[in-house]
Amino acid sequence: MNKIVISCSGKFYNLHLAEELIRHGYDVEIYTTYYSRKNRFWRLFVKREDVEIIDTNVVRTLFPLAVTMKLFPQMRYYWNAIFDFWVCCCLFAKRGGGVDFFIGWSGMSSISMKMLKRYSPNTKLILERGSSHIEYQNQILKEEYKRFGIEYSIPKREIRKEKIEYSLADRISCPSLFVTRSFLSQGISEKKLQRNNYGTYFKSSSPSHAQKVSKFIVLYLGTVSIQKGCLYLFQAIKDLPLEIDDFEFWIIGGVKDEMKDVLDSFKRPNWRVFGFIQQQKLPELIQQTSVAVFPSLQEGLAMVIPQVLSLNIPVIATTNTGAEDLLELGYDVEICEIRDSKAMREGIMRQHKNYQNVQGRPKRSHNELSWAEYGKRYNNFLKEF
């Protein structure tokens, strides 16, 4: 039985990955800061509830660090370094402990990877990178923040650390073709990259969302921020040739300070801002909508896209969201360029025409979007090493 160590300081998709690899028979040990099924007392103070069912004996947590990361997120670089050092010390005490595969998240794995490279040279090192190559990410965000009159740059130490991790890794796991392209553009060998789209546990509970709603509803699901390209979506919604009573625009997600004034300047009476909604409550809301738009400037694969598609809601998304991969699989996805409000508006109007003329949408199988399929693909990657 192959031994796998998964190392991730926060809640990304590490627990989904761990759960699936355990199902495939791997001996998995997980390092993270918090797991609600293990840190039961702290559930009184933390909203997060992990749906993944994993034996708590294989999960090692560092809850005090989870608290400091929550209270002082601006010090993320230092918290990730402390987490990485903790994982390194745990593994060093066992001199690698016969680890066959180390799967670590970018920005928080360089210390552990260096130690394993030296003391456990047979361990295969896999780096999980959920966004584009950090140099590409830095460049596109610098450009965008400049449009808002804000000086922005990813700290050089973070860039250095990630590039060290890229060089140490035997494989870099990318969630989309967009991310893969960004690494190729920075000179990373294609042989080093493995592409695996994220999954979802959402499933449609109705044969057709269109039969349930009486009004055309456009959905944005995610944090309202500069990086997410929300300005361009707001412009597209403002310019829709529809009467204000004929549609609604729903925003589900928190609003960053940098976008509060922008949102207020665009907001109309038919805009509904829900704020953060727990994952378990999302399907009921999503299935009431008509189309979802994701205008991100830089995102590996927005996890909300598989969620929305699994509920039979069509998607309009930019080239830089990872949605192109799901278009290849035949899902109801329309791709547009970043910052292209006109294309978003035209896409929304096409969906509005469909909404008017088509009573219901046929359901289709969403097996490719499940975490189970994600786990199968990951298992195949490990076997190919």
Side-chain angles (χ1 to χ4, degrees):
M1 183 186 296
N2 285 319
K3 175 70 176 289
I4 296 177
V5 166
I6 295 177
S7 175
C8 179
S9 67
K11 171 70 171 179
F12 292 92
Y13 51 95
N14 52 323
L15 298 179
H16 287 301
L17 173 59
E19 187 178 40
E20 294 305 324
L21 292 180
I22 290 169
R23 284 178 182 164
H24 282 277
Y26 292 97
D27 177 12
V28 177
E29 186 175 25
I30 306 159
Y31 290 83
T32 188
T33 53
Y34 173 75
Y35 178 46
S36 61
R37 296 179 185 273
K38 184 179 182 75
N39 308 112
R40 290 185 176 274
F41 172 75
W42 299 107
R43 289 171 66 177
L44 299 172
F45 309 98
V46 181
K47 291 182 179 180
R48 186 179 120 196
E49 185 171 352
D50 300 309
V51 298
E52 305 84 1
I53 301 175
I54 299 170
D55 183 351
T56 56
N57 291 319
V58 305
V59 183
R60 301 196 62 172
T61 61
L62 192 63
F63 185 74
L65 186 59
V67 174
T68 58
M69 293 177 77
K70 185 74 174 177
L71 293 176
F72 306 102
Q74 69 276 15
M75 297 178 66
R76 179 188 60 186
Y77 176 85
Y78 298 103
W79 305 142
N80 282 338
I82 292 169
F83 172 80
D84 190 10
F85 183 70
W86 170 65
V87 175
C88 175
C89 290
C90 292
L91 296 178
F92 182 74
K94 298 181 282 188
R95 290 297 191 275
V99 177
D100 295 293
F101 298 97
F102 173 86
I103 304 175
W105 262 244
S106 67
M108 58 188 80
S109 299
S110 62
I111 301 171
S112 300
M113 293 172 78
K114 286 178 181 178
M115 185 279 294
L116 289 168
K117 206 82 170 177
R118 179 172 182 180
Y119 293 102
S120 184
N122 292 326
T123 300
K124 301 293 191 299
L125 305 179
I126 302 174
L127 186 72
E128 287 290 326
R129 174 63 178 168
S131 295
S132 57
H133 188 291
I134 197 165
E135 293 278 19
Y136 180 95
Q137 180 185 21
N138 186 46
Q139 183 58 41
I140 198 166
L141 292 184
K142 281 174 68 175
E143 292 173 1
E144 189 62 22
Y145 273 88
K146 190 174 181 180
R147 292 176 177 226
F148 284 77
I150 301 172
E151 287 294 322
Y152 175 89
S153 181
I154 297 175
K156 291 181 179 179
R157 64 191 176 204
E158 291 186 24
I159 295 176
R160 283 197 300 268
K161 184 173 186 177
E162 288 232 2
K163 292 177 76 173
I164 288 170
E165 291 169 340
Y166 300 164
S167 64
L168 289 170
D170 296 302
R171 292 275 179 86
I172 301 172
S173 185
C174 306
S176 67
L177 185 58
F178 161 61
V179 174
T180 301
R181 287 193 191 116
S182 73
F183 274 90
L184 293 174
S185 71
Q186 296 294 323
I188 302 295
S189 170
E190 187 173 5
K191 294 179 180 179
K192 201 170 193 175
L193 307 175
Q194 63 183 41
R195 178 162 55 116
N196 194 1
N197 308 141
Y198 300 141
T200 179
Y201 59 84
F202 287 3
K203 292 182 180 179
S204 179
S205 59
S206 65
S208 166
H209 72 276
Q211 294 171 352
K212 295 177 59 180
V213 298
S214 59
K215 183 172 287 189
F216 184 71
I217 298 174
V218 182
L219 170 67
Y220 170 75
L221 177 58
T223 303
V224 177
S225 67
I226 290 175
Q227 175 173 262
K228 297 283 189 175
C230 293
L231 169 64
Y232 307 101
L233 174 56
F234 294 169
Q235 290 173 339
I237 298 295
K238 179 179 73 71
D239 294 336
L240 286 176
L242 297 173
E243 295 296 326
I244 196 169
D245 293 330
D246 291 341
F247 78 101
E248 290 183 2
F249 177 40
W250 288 9
I251 299 173
I252 301 178
V255 182
K256 285 201 169 184
D257 290 342
E258 64 196 24
M259 288 296 292
K260 285 181 178 177
D261 289 343
V262 176
L263 175 58
D264 289 342
S265 69
F266 277 94
K267 193 176 177 184
R268 298 294 181 268
N270 61 334
W271 290 33
R272 294 184 62 186
V273 182
F274 290 81
F276 174 79
I277 301 290
Q278 288 282 358
Q279 286 279 311
Q280 297 88 330
K281 299 178 182 178
L282 283 176
E284 183 180 354
L285 284 171
I286 293 171
Q287 288 188 110
Q288 296 178 50
T289 65
S290 310
V291 60
V293 187
F294 301 99
S296 293
L297 299 171
Q298 188 284 139
E299 198 159 8
L301 172 58
M303 289 192 183
V304 291
I305 294 179
Q307 290 175 351
V308 168
L309 289 172
S310 72
L311 298 173
N312 289 311
I313 308 300
V315 162
I316 299 167
T318 66
T319 53
N320 292 12
T321 60
E324 186 179 353
D325 295 54
L326 304 180
L327 174 63
E328 286 182 351
L329 293 173
Y331 287 95
D332 196 350
V333 177
E334 183 173 333
I335 302 297
C336 64
E337 294 297 322
I338 60 172
R339 305 188 179 107
D340 194 340
S341 296
K342 180 182 178 182
M344 292 179 208
R345 184 184 73 243
E346 291 172 348
I348 292 170
M349 290 309 299
R350 278 189 286 274
Q351 290 298 331
H352 183 261
K353 183 178 180 180
N354 293 340
Y355 165 80
Q356 290 179 313
N357 296 336
V358 179
Q359 290 299 313
R361 296 177 187 276
K363 286 184 68 176
R364 60 162 290 179
S365 170
H366 297 294
N367 290 336
E368 304 100 325
L369 301 180
S370 69
W371 283 114
E373 288 300 313
Y374 171 84
K376 286 180 184 178
R377 293 190 293 269
Y378 216 111
N379 178 46
N380 290 334
F381 285 132
L382 297 180
K383 287 181 175 180
E384 292 168 1
F385 248 105

